[in-house]
Amino acid sequence: MEIISNPTQDDIKKAAKAIKDGHLVAFPTETVYGLGADATDEKAVSRIYSVKGRPTDHPLIVHISSINQLDKWAIDIPGYALKIANEFWPGPMTLILNRSALAKDFITGGQDSVGLRVPAHPVALKLLNEFEKLGGLGIAAPSANKFGAVSPTNSEAVIEEIGSELSQRDMILDGGDSNVGLESTIIDCTKVVPDILRPGAITIGMIRFYTEHKISISKTSNGIRASGLLKTHYSPKAKVVLGAEAKKGDGFLAMADISTPIGAIRLASPRTIEEFARQLYQALRLGDHKNLTKIIVIPPIGGGLSDAIRDRLVRSVIDK
Ligand code: TXA
Ligand code: MG
């Protein structure tokens, strides 16, 4: 597999060609790194599942270069969905819409809906544009980690997660640290009322303004529609414990104004909620690098992005 740092336009062209030829390319987005394949190529998409060790009934997000590509993949798009797509794309938001005939069962996990997103990272957008110049229609990309593990927010984390599973003609594009650090907000737009399936940087308060509807946040997790909604996910090797007292040798993650308990090992000191989101997965990974058995996290308070951080933290807790 080839790893390319700060890819040039030519590098990105080469990566687009690799995807068109049926290979996998891990690429940066502003949320987390994705593992991309041609969304119309069943064989390439099946490799995503085997590399990740992900059950095949978990649907994938199709990434497109702009809102103009939406009609290819989705039908019966409600007006409110178009409004928020216009407002927040490119950006950290995925819309679940009724699928067109192009979105096959191997993308949607057999459901009649498809997840679509226009990412904002310049490398991701250039990759999508080059891919479309070659006749490509969309790039399917889950987060580039093993199923159930912490999403990668830089290329080192991608290599750590799936590097050994990639083949010679696959590629990793390195575009630095992901700016948001948490996966996109997923909004189900298949019903009259929008429903937030996964909270993220596009918050309920931001969306509310653009729809006349009441918005709901899905509290139920059926585990099949969205793997990120499984009760446990996003888990490091260390045991994550929320809000407990840190003892000597425990990892510790909290806002900078909360001091480190004596003997605990500080993993990050975010000064803002945005920094907390950006540093969360790197801090959990650092805990694993230090072979810690326990990481105590003091979750941030408040709504908005804090909701998304707490959502991931709650799911990262596994009984072990
Ligand atoms: O920020 C992100 O969304 C990143 C970057 C790479 O774009 N991608 C990502 O993909 O987080 P993944 O596969 O790790 O998580 C996507 C979630 C999954 O939980 C999946 O089940 C859900 O989106 N999803 C995809 N299509 C869906 C659909 N038709 N209905 C409901 N959930 C869907
Ligand atoms: Mg994921």
Side-chain angles (χ1 to χ4, degrees):
M1 145 267 299
E2 190 179 2
I3 305 165
I4 302 179
S5 293
N6 303 314
T8 62
Q9 194 69 32
D10 278 348
D11 294 328
I12 293 172
K13 268 189 195 161
K14 190 175 158 195
K17 177 79 168 55
I19 296 180
K20 198 76 182 70
D21 290 345
H23 305 289
L24 302 184
V25 174
F27 61 96
T29 88
E30 74 281 22
T31 57
V32 299
Y33 274 62
L35 178 62
D38 181 342
T40 63
D41 181 340
E42 182 165 16
K43 225 171 122 204
V45 169
S46 77
R47 279 199 58 225
I48 289 182
Y49 286 92
S50 58
V51 165
K52 278 183 65 85
R54 170 164 160 154
T56 48
D57 60 354
H58 289 273
L60 296 173
I61 296 172
V62 177
H63 297 70
I64 50 178
S65 67
S66 83
I67 195 168
N68 301 330
Q69 310 297 315
L70 204 51
D71 286 340
K72 296 201 171 103
W73 291 94
I75 54 169
D76 303 332
I77 304 167
Y80 71 78
L82 284 176
K83 270 195 213 159
I84 54 180
N86 262 311
E87 196 58 34
F88 298 112
W89 277 350
M93 178 183 77
T94 296
L95 300 184
I96 307 297
L97 295 161
N98 291 307
R99 68 169 167 179
S100 72
L102 195 57
K104 297 285 193 298
D105 285 350
F106 62 82
I107 290 292
T108 72
Q111 302 181 75
D112 283 331
S113 59
V114 60
L116 293 163
R117 173 159 112 85
V118 182
H121 194 292
V123 171
L125 273 180
K126 283 181 196 161
L127 180 65
L128 287 162
N129 277 304
E130 291 299 336
F131 183 64
E132 282 166 16
K133 279 189 206 160
L134 299 173
L137 295 167
I139 297 179
S143 51
N145 52 278
K146 285 283 185 184
F147 181 65
V150 176
S151 297
T153 56
N154 55 37
S155 63
E156 291 79 18
V158 173
I159 295 164
E160 183 176 294
E161 285 286 330
I162 56 161
S164 63
E165 308 283 342
L166 295 179
S167 310
Q168 204 193 344
R169 298 253 347 249
D170 297 333
M171 292 171 73
I172 298 177
L173 299 179
D174 170 8
D177 287 337
S178 294
N179 192 39
V180 175
L182 291 182
E183 304 80 358
S184 61
T185 306
I186 302 181
I187 309 171
D188 183 352
C189 301
T190 60
K191 298 185 216 94
V192 181
V193 178
D195 186 19
I196 298 189
L197 300 182
R198 180 173 74 181
I202 303 298
T203 63
I204 191 164
M206 294 160 77
I207 301 159
R208 190 177 279 136
F209 189 69
Y210 296 93
T211 82
E212 64 266 41
H213 302 287
K214 204 171 151 285
I215 304 164
S216 53
I217 297 196
S218 218
K219 289 281 180 234
T220 52
S221 57
N222 59 23
I224 290 174
R225 297 205 67 195
S227 63
L229 297 178
L230 287 176
K231 250 180 100 191
T232 54
H233 212 72
Y234 315 112
S235 300
K237 293 187 190 73
K239 181 181 166 104
V240 176
V241 182
L242 305 183
E245 201 182 318
K247 306 252 166 32
K248 190 165 178 283
D250 288 344
F252 186 71
L253 171 60
M255 293 292 285
D257 57 359
I258 302 174
S259 57
T260 313
I262 293 163
I265 299 149
R266 186 99 196 186
L267 297 173
S269 302
R271 285 158 303 167
T272 62
I273 300 299
E274 286 73 21
E275 276 188 12
F276 204 124
R278 201 176 299 137
Q279 294 173 10
L280 173 63
Y281 290 156
Q282 291 186 18
L284 296 179
R285 242 169 235 291
L286 179 61
D288 281 348
H289 293 163
K290 291 179 180 291
N291 287 318
L292 304 181
T293 50
K294 207 191 258 184
I295 300 174
I296 309 294
V297 185
I298 311 298
I301 51 171
L305 189 56
S306 292
D307 273 337
I309 295 170
R310 288 195 304 271
D311 169 79
R312 303 308 190 278
L313 280 173
V314 166
R315 291 177 212 285
S316 73
V317 175
I318 298 184
D319 266 342
K320 47 181 153 188

